[in-house]
Coordinates of all heavy atoms in Angstrom, one line a residue:
M134 N 280.2 154.1 8.2 CA 279.9 155.3 7.6 C 278.4 155.4 7.5 O 277.7 154.5 7.0 CB 280.6 155.5 6.2 CG 280.1 156.7 5.5 SD 280.9 157.0 3.9 CE 281.2 155.5 3.1
K135 N 277.8 156.5 7.9 CA 276.4 156.7 8.0 C 275.7 156.8 6.6 O 274.6 156.4 6.5 CB 276.1 158.0 8.8 CG 276.3 157.9 10.2 CD 276.0 159.2 10.9 CE 276.2 159.1 12.4 NZ 275.8 160.3 13.1
T136 N 276.5 157.2 5.6 CA 275.9 157.4 4.3 C 276.0 156.2 3.4 O 275.4 156.2 2.3 CB 276.5 158.6 3.6 OG1 277.9 158.4 3.5 CG2 276.2 159.9 4.4
F137 N 276.8 155.2 3.8 CA 277.0 154.0 3.0 C 275.6 153.2 2.9 O 275.0 153.0 3.9 CB 278.0 153.1 3.6 CG 278.3 151.8 2.8 CD1 279.0 151.9 1.7 CD2 277.7 150.6 3.2 CE1 279.3 150.7 0.9 CE2 277.9 149.5 2.5 CZ 278.7 149.5 1.4
V138 N 275.3 152.8 1.7 CA 274.0 152.1 1.5 C 274.3 150.6 1.1 O 273.8 149.7 1.8 CB 273.2 152.7 0.3 CG1 272.0 151.9 0.1 CG2 272.9 154.1 0.7
L139 N 275.2 150.3 0.1 CA 275.5 148.9 -0.2 C 276.7 148.9 -1.2 O 277.0 149.9 -1.8 CB 274.3 148.2 -0.9 CG 273.8 148.8 -2.2 CD1 274.2 147.9 -3.4 CD2 272.3 148.9 -2.2
R140 N 277.3 147.7 -1.3 CA 278.3 147.5 -2.3 C 277.6 147.5 -3.6 O 276.5 146.9 -3.7 CB 279.0 146.2 -2.1 CG 279.9 146.2 -0.9 CD 280.7 144.9 -0.8 NE 281.4 144.6 -2.0 CZ 282.7 144.8 -2.2 NH1 283.4 145.2 -1.2 NH2 283.3 144.5 -3.3
A141 N 278.1 148.1 -4.6 CA 277.4 148.3 -5.9 C 277.9 147.3 -7.0 O 277.9 147.7 -8.1 CB 277.6 149.7 -6.3
D142 N 278.3 146.1 -6.6 CA 278.6 145.1 -7.7 C 277.4 144.6 -8.4 O 277.4 144.4 -9.6 CB 279.4 143.9 -7.1 CG 280.7 144.4 -6.4 OD1 281.2 145.4 -6.7 OD2 281.2 143.6 -5.6
V143 N 276.3 144.4 -7.6 CA 275.1 143.9 -8.1 C 274.0 144.9 -7.6 O 273.9 145.2 -6.4 CB 274.8 142.5 -7.7 CG1 273.4 142.0 -8.1 CG2 275.8 141.5 -8.2
I144 N 273.1 145.3 -8.5 CA 272.0 146.2 -8.1 C 270.7 145.5 -8.6 O 270.7 144.7 -9.5 CB 272.1 147.6 -8.6 CG1 272.1 147.6 -10.2 CG2 273.4 148.3 -8.1 CD1 271.8 149.0 -10.7
E145 N 269.6 145.9 -8.0 CA 268.3 145.6 -8.4 C 267.7 146.8 -9.1 O 267.7 147.9 -8.6 CB 267.4 145.1 -7.2 CG 267.8 143.8 -6.7 CD 266.8 143.2 -5.7 OE1 265.9 143.9 -5.3 OE2 267.0 142.0 -5.3
C146 N 267.1 146.5 -10.3 CA 266.4 147.6 -11.0 C 265.4 146.9 -12.0 O 265.5 145.7 -12.2 CB 267.4 148.5 -11.7 SG 268.3 147.7 -13.1
A147 N 264.6 147.7 -12.5 CA 263.6 147.3 -13.5 C 264.3 147.0 -14.8 O 265.1 147.9 -15.3 CB 262.5 148.3 -13.7
A148 N 264.1 145.9 -15.5 CA 264.7 145.6 -16.7 C 264.1 146.4 -17.9 O 262.9 146.5 -17.9 CB 264.6 144.1 -17.0
S149 N 264.9 147.0 -18.7 CA 264.4 147.7 -19.9 C 264.0 146.8 -21.0 O 263.3 147.3 -21.9 CB 265.5 148.7 -20.3 OG 266.6 148.0 -20.8
R150 N 264.3 145.5 -20.9 CA 263.9 144.5 -21.9 C 263.9 143.2 -21.2 O 264.5 143.0 -20.1 CB 264.8 144.6 -23.1 CG 266.2 144.1 -22.8 CD 267.1 144.2 -24.1 NE 268.4 143.6 -23.9 CZ 268.7 142.3 -24.2 NH1 267.8 141.5 -24.8 NH2 269.9 141.9 -24.0
S151 N 263.4 142.2 -21.9 CA 263.5 140.8 -21.3 C 264.9 140.3 -21.4 O 265.5 140.5 -22.5 CB 262.5 139.9 -22.1 OG 261.2 140.2 -21.9
C152 N 265.4 139.8 -20.3 CA 266.8 139.3 -20.3 C 266.9 137.9 -19.8 O 266.2 137.6 -18.8 CB 267.6 140.2 -19.4 SG 267.8 141.9 -19.9
N153 N 267.8 137.1 -20.4 CA 268.2 135.8 -19.8 C 269.5 136.1 -19.0 O 270.1 137.1 -19.1 CB 268.5 134.8 -20.9 CG 267.2 134.4 -21.6 OD1 266.2 134.2 -21.0 ND2 267.3 134.4 -22.9
S154 N 269.8 135.1 -18.1 CA 271.1 135.2 -17.4 C 272.2 135.4 -18.3 O 272.4 134.7 -19.3 CB 271.3 133.9 -16.6 OG 272.5 134.0 -15.9
G155 N 273.1 136.4 -18.1 CA 274.2 136.7 -18.9 C 274.0 137.7 -20.0 O 274.9 138.2 -20.6
D156 N 272.7 138.1 -20.2 CA 272.4 139.2 -21.2 C 272.8 140.6 -20.7 O 272.6 140.8 -19.5 CB 270.9 139.2 -21.6 CG 270.5 138.0 -22.4 OD1 271.4 137.3 -23.0 OD2 269.3 137.8 -22.6
G157 N 273.2 141.4 -21.5 CA 273.5 142.8 -21.2 C 272.2 143.6 -21.3 O 271.3 143.3 -22.1
M158 N 272.1 144.7 -20.6 CA 271.0 145.6 -20.6 C 271.4 147.0 -20.3 O 272.3 147.2 -19.4 CB 269.9 145.1 -19.6 CG 268.7 146.0 -19.6 SD 267.8 146.0 -18.1 CE 268.9 146.9 -17.0
I159 N 270.9 148.0 -20.9 CA 271.2 149.3 -20.6 C 269.9 150.1 -20.3 O 268.9 149.9 -21.0 CB 272.0 150.0 -21.7 CG1 272.6 151.3 -21.2 CG2 271.3 150.2 -23.0 CD1 273.7 151.9 -22.0
T160 N 269.9 150.9 -19.3 CA 268.8 151.8 -19.0 C 269.4 153.1 -18.7 O 270.2 153.3 -17.8 CB 268.0 151.3 -17.7 OG1 267.5 150.0 -17.9 CG2 266.9 152.2 -17.3
G161 N 269.1 154.1 -19.6 CA 269.7 155.4 -19.5 C 271.2 155.2 -19.7 O 271.7 154.7 -20.7
S162 N 272.0 155.6 -18.7 CA 273.5 155.4 -18.7 C 274.0 154.2 -17.9 O 275.2 154.0 -17.8 CB 274.2 156.7 -18.2 OG 273.9 157.8 -19.0
L163 N 273.0 153.5 -17.3 CA 273.4 152.3 -16.5 C 273.4 151.0 -17.3 O 272.4 150.6 -17.9 CB 272.4 152.2 -15.3 CG 272.6 151.1 -14.4 CD1 273.9 151.2 -13.6 CD2 271.4 151.0 -13.4
F164 N 274.6 150.4 -17.3 CA 274.7 149.1 -18.0 C 274.9 148.0 -17.0 O 275.6 148.2 -16.0 CB 275.9 149.1 -19.0 CG 276.1 147.7 -19.6 CD1 275.4 147.4 -20.7 CD2 277.0 146.8 -19.1 CE1 275.5 146.1 -21.3 CE2 277.1 145.6 -19.6 CZ 276.4 145.2 -20.8
G165 N 274.2 146.9 -17.2 CA 274.4 145.7 -16.3 C 274.2 144.4 -17.1 O 273.7 144.4 -18.2
V166 N 274.7 143.3 -16.5 CA 274.6 142.0 -17.0 C 273.6 141.3 -16.1 O 273.8 141.2 -14.9 CB 275.9 141.3 -17.1 CG1 275.7 139.8 -17.6 CG2 276.9 142.0 -18.0
S167 N 272.6 140.7 -16.7 CA 271.5 140.1 -15.9 C 272.0 138.8 -15.2 O 272.7 138.0 -15.8 CB 270.4 139.6 -16.9 OG 269.3 139.1 -16.1
I168 N 271.7 138.8 -13.9 CA 272.1 137.6 -13.1 C 271.2 136.4 -13.3 O 271.6 135.3 -13.3 CB 272.1 138.0 -11.6 CG1 273.0 139.2 -11.3 CG2 272.4 136.8 -10.7 CD1 274.5 138.9 -11.5
N169 N 269.9 136.7 -13.6 CA 268.9 135.7 -13.8 C 268.0 136.1 -14.9 O 268.1 137.2 -15.4 CB 268.2 135.3 -12.5 CG 267.8 136.6 -11.8 OD1 267.5 137.6 -12.4 ND2 267.7 136.5 -10.5
T170 N 267.0 135.3 -15.3 CA 266.0 135.6 -16.3 C 265.1 136.6 -15.7 O 264.6 136.5 -14.6 CB 265.3 134.4 -16.8 OG1 266.2 133.5 -17.3 CG2 264.2 134.7 -17.8
T171 N 264.9 137.7 -16.4 CA 264.0 138.8 -16.0 C 263.2 139.3 -17.1 O 263.7 139.6 -18.2 CB 264.9 140.0 -15.4 OG1 265.9 139.5 -14.5 CG2 264.1 141.1 -14.8
A172 N 261.9 139.4 -16.8 CA 260.9 139.9 -17.8 C 261.1 141.4 -18.0 O 261.5 142.1 -17.0 CB 259.5 139.6 -17.4
S173 N 260.7 142.0 -19.1 CA 260.8 143.4 -19.3 C 259.9 144.1 -18.3 O 258.8 143.7 -18.0 CB 260.2 143.7 -20.7 OG 260.3 145.1 -21.0
S174 N 260.5 145.2 -17.7 CA 259.9 146.0 -16.7 C 259.8 145.3 -15.3 O 259.5 146.0 -14.3 CB 258.4 146.5 -17.0 OG 258.5 147.2 -18.2
A175 N 260.2 144.1 -15.2 CA 260.2 143.4 -13.9 C 261.6 143.8 -13.2 O 262.5 144.1 -13.8 CB 260.1 141.9 -14.0
T176 N 261.6 143.7 -11.9 CA 262.8 143.9 -11.1 C 263.7 142.7 -11.2 O 263.3 141.6 -10.9 CB 262.5 144.3 -9.6 OG1 261.7 145.4 -9.6 CG2 263.7 144.5 -8.8
G177 N 265.0 142.9 -11.5 CA 265.9 141.9 -11.6 C 267.3 142.3 -11.0 O 267.4 143.5 -10.6
Q178 N 268.2 141.4 -10.9 CA 269.5 141.7 -10.4 C 270.5 141.8 -11.5 O 270.5 140.9 -12.4 CB 270.0 140.6 -9.4 CG 269.2 140.6 -8.1 CD 269.7 139.6 -7.1 OE1 270.2 138.6 -7.5 NE2 269.7 140.0 -5.8
F179 N 271.3 142.8 -11.5 CA 272.3 143.1 -12.6 C 273.7 143.4 -12.1 O 273.8 144.2 -11.2 CB 271.8 144.2 -13.5 CG 270.5 143.9 -14.2 CD1 269.3 144.2 -13.5 CD2 270.4 143.4 -15.4 CE1 268.0 143.9 -14.1 CE2 269.2 143.1 -16.0 CZ 268.0 143.3 -15.4
L180 N 274.7 142.7 -12.7 CA 276.0 142.9 -12.3 C 276.5 144.2 -13.0 O 276.3 144.4 -14.2 CB 276.9 141.8 -12.8 CG 278.4 141.9 -12.6 CD1 278.7 141.7 -11.1 CD2 279.2 140.9 -13.4
V181 N 276.9 145.2 -12.2 CA 277.3 146.5 -12.8 C 278.8 146.8 -12.6 O 279.4 147.7 -13.2 CB 276.5 147.7 -12.2 CG1 275.0 147.6 -12.6 CG2 276.6 147.8 -10.7
R182 N 279.5 146.0 -11.7 CA 280.9 146.1 -11.5 C 281.4 144.6 -11.4 O 280.8 143.8 -10.8 CB 281.3 146.8 -10.3 CG 280.9 148.3 -10.4 CD 281.9 149.2 -9.6 NE 281.4 150.5 -9.5 CZ 281.5 151.4 -10.5 NH1 282.0 151.1 -11.6 NH2 281.1 152.6 -10.4
G183 N 282.6 144.4 -12.0 CA 283.2 143.1 -12.0 C 283.5 142.7 -13.4 O 283.5 143.5 -14.4
V184 N 283.9 141.4 -13.6 CA 284.2 140.9 -14.9 C 283.2 139.9 -15.4 O 282.8 139.0 -14.6 CB 285.6 140.2 -14.9 CG1 286.0 139.6 -16.2 CG2 286.7 141.2 -14.4
A185 N 282.7 140.0 -16.6 CA 281.7 139.1 -17.1 C 282.0 138.8 -18.6 O 282.6 139.6 -19.3 CB 280.3 139.8 -17.1
D186 N 281.6 137.6 -19.0 CA 281.7 137.2 -20.4 C 280.4 137.6 -21.0 O 279.3 137.2 -20.6 CB 281.9 135.7 -20.5 CG 283.3 135.3 -20.1 OD1 284.2 136.1 -20.2 OD2 283.4 134.1 -19.7
I187 N 280.4 138.5 -22.0 CA 279.2 139.1 -22.6 C 279.2 138.8 -24.1 O 280.2 138.9 -24.8 CB 279.3 140.7 -22.4 CG1 279.4 141.0 -20.9 CG2 278.0 141.3 -22.9 CD1 279.7 142.5 -20.6
P188 N 278.0 138.5 -24.6 CA 278.0 138.2 -26.1 C 278.5 139.4 -26.9 O 278.2 140.6 -26.5 CB 276.4 138.1 -26.3 CG 275.9 137.6 -25.0 CD 276.7 138.3 -24.0
K189 N 279.3 139.2 -27.9 CA 279.9 140.3 -28.7 C 279.6 140.1 -30.2 O 279.2 139.0 -30.6 CB 281.4 140.3 -28.4 CG 282.3 139.3 -29.1 CD 283.7 139.6 -28.9 CE 284.6 138.7 -29.8 NZ 284.4 138.9 -31.2
D190 N 279.9 141.2 -30.9 CA 279.8 141.2 -32.3 C 281.0 140.5 -32.9 O 281.8 139.9 -32.2 CB 279.5 142.6 -32.9 CG 280.7 143.5 -32.7 OD1 281.8 143.1 -32.2 OD2 280.5 144.7 -33.1
A191 N 281.3 140.7 -34.2 CA 282.4 140.1 -34.9 C 283.7 140.8 -34.7 O 284.7 140.4 -35.3 CB 282.1 140.0 -36.4
S192 N 283.8 141.8 -33.9 CA 285.0 142.6 -33.6 C 286.1 141.7 -33.0 O 285.8 140.9 -32.1 CB 284.8 143.7 -32.6 OG 283.8 144.6 -33.1
A193 N 287.3 141.9 -33.4 CA 288.5 141.3 -32.7 C 288.7 142.2 -31.6 O 288.5 143.4 -31.6 CB 289.7 141.2 -33.6
V194 N 289.2 141.7 -30.4 CA 289.4 142.4 -29.2 C 290.8 142.2 -28.7 O 291.3 141.1 -28.7 CB 288.4 142.0 -28.1 CG1 288.6 142.6 -26.8 CG2 286.9 142.2 -28.6
T195 N 291.4 143.3 -28.2 CA 292.8 143.2 -27.6 C 292.6 143.5 -26.1 O 291.7 144.2 -25.7 CB 293.8 144.1 -28.3 OG1 293.3 145.5 -28.2 CG2 294.0 143.8 -29.7
L196 N 293.6 143.0 -25.3 CA 293.6 143.3 -23.9 C 293.6 144.8 -23.6 O 294.4 145.5 -24.2 CB 294.8 142.6 -23.3 CG 295.1 142.9 -21.8 CD1 294.0 142.3 -20.9 CD2 296.4 142.4 -21.4
G197 N 292.7 145.2 -22.8 CA 292.7 146.6 -22.4 C 291.9 147.5 -23.3 O 291.7 148.7 -23.1
M198 N 291.3 147.0 -24.4 CA 290.6 147.7 -25.4 C 289.3 148.2 -24.7 O 288.6 147.5 -24.0 CB 290.2 146.9 -26.6 CG 289.4 147.5 -27.7 SD 289.1 146.4 -29.0 CE 290.6 146.7 -30.0
K199 N 288.9 149.4 -25.0 CA 287.6 149.9 -24.5 C 286.5 149.1 -25.2 O 286.5 148.9 -26.4 CB 287.4 151.4 -24.8 CG 288.3 152.3 -24.0 CD 288.1 153.8 -24.3 CE 288.9 154.6 -23.4 NZ 288.8 156.1 -23.8
M200 N 285.5 148.8 -24.5 CA 284.3 148.0 -25.0 C 283.1 148.8 -24.9 O 282.9 149.5 -23.9 CB 284.2 146.7 -24.3 CG 285.5 145.8 -24.3 SD 286.0 145.4 -26.0 CE 284.6 144.5 -26.7
Y201 N 282.2 148.7 -25.8 CA 281.0 149.5 -25.9 C 279.8 148.5 -26.1 O 279.9 147.4 -26.5 CB 281.0 150.4 -27.2 CG 282.2 151.3 -27.1 CD1 283.5 150.9 -27.6 CD2 282.1 152.6 -26.6 CE1 284.5 151.8 -27.5 CE2 283.1 153.5 -26.5 CZ 284.4 153.1 -27.0 OH 285.5 153.9 -26.9
W202 N 278.6 149.0 -25.7 CA 277.4 148.3 -25.8 C 276.6 148.8 -27.0 O 276.3 150.0 -27.1 CB 276.5 148.4 -24.5 CG 275.3 147.6 -24.6 CD1 274.0 148.1 -24.7 CD2 275.2 146.2 -24.6 NE1 273.1 147.0 -24.7 CE2 273.8 145.9 -24.7 CE3 276.1 145.1 -24.5 CZ2 273.3 144.6 -24.7 CZ3 275.6 143.8 -24.6 CH2 274.3 143.6 -24.6
D203 N 276.3 147.8 -27.9 CA 275.4 148.1 -29.0 C 274.0 147.8 -28.6 O 273.6 146.6 -28.6 CB 275.9 147.3 -30.3 CG 275.0 147.5 -31.5 OD1 273.9 148.0 -31.4 OD2 275.5 147.2 -32.6
N204 N 273.2 148.8 -28.3 CA 271.8 148.5 -27.8 C 270.8 148.1 -28.9 O 269.7 147.8 -28.5 CB 271.3 149.7 -27.0 CG 270.3 149.3 -26.0 OD1 270.5 148.3 -25.3 ND2 269.3 150.1 -25.8
A205 N 271.2 148.1 -30.1 CA 270.4 147.6 -31.2 C 270.6 146.1 -31.4 O 269.6 145.4 -31.6 CB 270.6 148.4 -32.5
A206 N 271.8 145.7 -31.4 CA 272.2 144.3 -31.6 C 272.2 143.5 -30.2 O 272.3 142.3 -30.2 CB 273.5 144.2 -32.3
F207 N 272.2 144.3 -29.1 CA 272.3 143.7 -27.8 C 273.6 142.8 -27.6 O 273.6 141.7 -27.1 CB 271.1 142.8 -27.4 CG 269.8 143.6 -27.4 CD1 268.8 143.2 -28.2 CD2 269.7 144.8 -26.7 CE1 267.6 143.9 -28.2 CE2 268.5 145.5 -26.7 CZ 267.4 145.0 -27.5
K208 N 274.7 143.5 -28.1 CA 276.1 142.8 -28.0 C 277.1 143.9 -27.7 O 276.9 145.0 -28.0 CB 276.4 142.1 -29.3 CG 275.5 141.0 -29.7 CD 276.0 140.2 -30.9 CE 275.1 139.0 -31.1 NZ 275.6 138.1 -32.1
V209 N 278.2 143.4 -27.2 CA 279.4 144.2 -26.9 C 280.1 144.4 -28.2 O 280.1 143.5 -29.0 CB 280.2 143.7 -25.7 CG1 281.1 142.5 -26.2 CG2 281.0 144.7 -25.1
T210 N 280.8 145.5 -28.4 CA 281.5 145.8 -29.6 C 282.7 146.7 -29.3 O 282.8 147.4 -28.3 CB 280.6 146.5 -30.7 OG1 281.3 146.7 -31.8 CG2 280.0 147.8 -30.1
A211 N 283.7 146.7 -30.2 CA 284.8 147.6 -30.1 C 284.5 148.9 -30.8 O 285.3 149.8 -30.8 CB 286.0 146.9 -30.8
T212 N 283.4 149.1 -31.4 CA 283.0 150.3 -32.2 C 282.4 151.3 -31.3 O 281.3 151.0 -30.6 CB 282.0 149.9 -33.3 OG1 282.5 148.9 -34.1 CG2 281.6 151.1 -34.1
A213 N 283.0 152.5 -31.2 CA 282.5 153.5 -30.3 C 281.3 154.3 -30.9 O 280.4 154.7 -30.1 CB 283.6 154.5 -30.0
T214 N 281.2 154.5 -32.2 CA 280.2 155.3 -32.8 C 278.8 154.8 -32.5 O 278.5 153.6 -32.7 CB 280.4 155.3 -34.3 OG1 281.7 155.8 -34.6 CG2 279.4 156.3 -35.0
A215 N 278.0 155.7 -31.9 CA 276.6 155.4 -31.6 C 276.4 154.3 -30.5 O 275.3 153.8 -30.4 CB 275.8 155.1 -32.8
N216 N 277.4 154.0 -29.8 CA 277.3 152.9 -28.7 C 277.8 153.5 -27.4 O 278.4 154.6 -27.3 CB 278.2 151.7 -29.1 CG 277.7 151.1 -30.4 OD1 276.5 150.8 -30.5 ND2 278.5 150.8 -31.3
T217 N 277.5 152.8 -26.3 CA 277.8 153.3 -24.9 C 279.0 152.5 -24.4 O 279.0 151.3 -24.3 CB 276.6 153.0 -24.0 OG1 275.4 153.6 -24.6 CG2 276.8 153.5 -22.6
L218 N 280.0 153.3 -23.9 CA 281.2 152.7 -23.2 C 280.8 152.0 -21.9 O 280.1 152.6 -21.1 CB 282.1 153.9 -22.9 CG 283.5 153.5 -22.3 CD1 284.3 152.6 -23.2 CD2 284.3 154.7 -22.0
I219 N 281.2 150.7 -21.8 CA 280.8 150.0 -20.6 C 282.0 149.4 -19.8 O 281.8 149.0 -18.7 CB 279.9 148.8 -21.0 CG1 280.6 147.8 -21.9 CG2 278.6 149.3 -21.6 CD1 279.8 146.4 -22.0
G220 N 283.2 149.4 -20.4 CA 284.3 148.9 -19.7 C 285.5 148.6 -20.6 O 285.6 149.1 -21.7
V221 N 286.4 147.7 -20.1 CA 287.6 147.3 -20.9 C 287.7 145.8 -21.0 O 287.3 145.1 -20.1 CB 288.9 147.9 -20.4 CG1 288.8 149.5 -20.4 CG2 289.1 147.5 -19.0
A222 N 288.3 145.3 -22.1 CA 288.5 143.9 -22.3 C 289.6 143.4 -21.3 O 290.6 144.1 -21.2 CB 288.9 143.6 -23.7
T223 N 289.4 142.3 -20.7 CA 290.4 141.7 -19.8 C 291.2 140.6 -20.5 O 292.1 140.1 -19.9 CB 289.8 141.2 -18.5 OG1 288.9 140.2 -18.8 CG2 289.1 142.3 -17.8
Q224 N 290.9 140.3 -21.7 CA 291.7 139.3 -22.5 C 291.4 139.6 -24.0 O 290.4 140.1 -24.3 CB 291.4 137.9 -22.1 CG 290.0 137.4 -22.4 CD 289.8 136.0 -21.9 OE1 290.3 135.6 -20.9 NE2 289.1 135.2 -22.7
A225 N 292.3 139.1 -24.8 CA 292.1 139.2 -26.3 C 291.1 138.2 -26.7 O 291.0 137.1 -26.1 CB 293.4 138.9 -27.0
Q226 N 290.3 138.5 -27.7 CA 289.3 137.6 -28.3 C 289.4 137.7 -29.8 O 289.6 138.8 -30.4 CB 287.9 138.0 -27.9 CG 287.6 138.1 -26.4 CD 287.5 136.7 -25.7 OE1 287.7 136.7 -24.5 NE2 287.2 135.7 -26.4
N227 N 289.3 136.6 -30.5 CA 289.3 136.6 -32.0 C 287.9 137.1 -32.5 O 286.9 137.1 -31.8 CB 289.6 135.2 -32.5 CG 290.9 134.7 -32.1 OD1 291.9 135.5 -32.2 ND2 291.1 133.5 -31.8
S228 N 287.9 137.5 -33.8 CA 286.7 138.0 -34.4 C 285.6 137.0 -34.4 O 284.4 137.3 -34.3 CB 287.0 138.5 -35.8 OG 287.5 137.5 -36.6
G229 N 285.9 135.7 -34.4 CA 284.9 134.6 -34.5 C 284.4 134.2 -33.1 O 283.4 133.4 -33.0
D230 N 285.0 134.7 -32.0 CA 284.6 134.3 -30.7 C 283.2 134.9 -30.3 O 282.9 136.1 -30.7 CB 285.6 134.8 -29.6 CG 286.9 134.1 -29.7 OD1 287.0 133.0 -30.3 OD2 287.9 134.6 -29.2
A231 N 282.4 134.2 -29.6 CA 281.0 134.6 -29.3 C 280.9 135.6 -28.2 O 279.9 136.4 -28.1 CB 280.2 133.4 -29.0
T232 N 281.9 135.7 -27.3 CA 281.8 136.5 -26.1 C 283.1 137.3 -26.0 O 284.2 137.0 -26.5 CB 281.6 135.8 -24.8 OG1 282.7 134.9 -24.6 CG2 280.3 135.0 -24.9
A233 N 283.0 138.4 -25.2 CA 284.2 139.2 -24.8 C 284.2 139.2 -23.3 O 283.1 139.4 -22.6 CB 284.1 140.6 -25.3
R234 N 285.3 139.1 -22.6 CA 285.5 139.2 -21.2 C 285.7 140.7 -20.9 O 286.8 141.2 -21.3 CB 286.6 138.3 -20.7 CG 286.7 138.2 -19.2 CD 287.3 137.0 -18.7 NE 286.5 135.8 -19.0 CZ 286.9 134.6 -18.8 NH1 288.2 134.3 -18.4 NH2 286.1 133.6 -19.1
V235 N 284.8 141.3 -20.1 CA 284.8 142.7 -19.9 C 284.8 143.1 -18.4 O 284.0 142.5 -17.7 CB 283.6 143.4 -20.6 CG1 283.6 144.9 -20.4 CG2 283.5 143.1 -22.1
L236 N 285.7 144.0 -18.1 CA 285.7 144.5 -16.7 C 284.8 145.7 -16.8 O 285.1 146.8 -17.4 CB 287.1 145.0 -16.3 CG 287.3 145.7 -15.0 CD1 286.8 144.9 -13.8 CD2 288.7 146.1 -14.7
L237 N 283.6 145.6 -16.2 CA 282.6 146.6 -16.2 C 283.0 147.8 -15.4 O 283.5 147.7 -14.3 CB 281.3 146.0 -15.7 CG 280.7 144.8 -16.5 CD1 279.5 144.3 -15.8 CD2 280.4 145.2 -17.9
G238 N 282.7 149.0 -15.9 CA 282.9 150.2 -15.2 C 284.3 150.7 -15.1 O 284.6 151.7 -14.4
A239 N 285.2 150.0 -15.7 CA 286.7 150.4 -15.6 C 287.1 151.3 -16.8 O 287.9 151.0 -17.6 CB 287.5 149.1 -15.7
V240 N 286.5 152.5 -16.8 CA 286.8 153.5 -17.8 C 287.0 154.9 -17.2 O 286.5 155.1 -16.1 CB 285.7 153.5 -18.9 CG1 285.8 152.3 -19.7 CG2 284.3 153.7 -18.3

């Protein structure tokens, strides 16, 4: 196809904040998980589609639950209010678990 540019699982873009590998980041409406360590404003690679283990807040999570990004705490949460929808949980997680397994973009 003449208009196809690339598979969009991983994209390169300027980081809106300093990120370590595995950190979430949001720029405008675009959410991604950093593939490597990236300085703020530097170009990095970010997973925007696929499944990733992302640091989460104290929320308990159920399979298929909508997951949101809390851009103040830099963690995934089950709380929709004032947060950005990023995907759905692919497994249940207890409230004490440090990460949530999220299928990005599946909303």
Side-chain angles (χ1 to χ4, degrees):
M134 171 175 37
K135 291 181 180 182
T136 58
F137 180 79
V138 177
L139 64 105
R140 290 185 55 101
D142 298 339
V143 175
I144 63 165
E145 287 189 351
C146 67
S149 61
R150 68 181 187 97
S151 294
C152 296
N153 292 317
S154 178
D156 286 349
M158 180 208 67
I159 193 164
T160 300
S162 297
L163 179 65
F164 177 82
V166 177
S167 185
I168 302 294
N169 44 31
T170 300
T171 307
S173 181
S174 300
T176 299
Q178 292 185 325
F179 296 87
L180 179 72
V181 294
R182 295 216 188 280
V184 178
D186 290 333
I187 306 171
K189 74 169 191 66
D190 68 1
S192 301
V194 174
T195 59
L196 174 66
M198 178 180 276
K199 289 181 180 179
M200 302 304 297
Y201 301 85
W202 181 248
D203 178 341
N204 206 39
F207 302 125
K208 293 186 178 193
V209 77
T210 180
T212 303
T214 305
N216 296 313
T217 304
L218 182 62
I219 62 167
V221 296
T223 61
Q224 67 183 36
Q226 304 285 160
N227 294 321
S228 60
D230 292 341
T232 62
R234 187 158 290 169
V235 180
L236 175 59
L237 300 174
V240 287

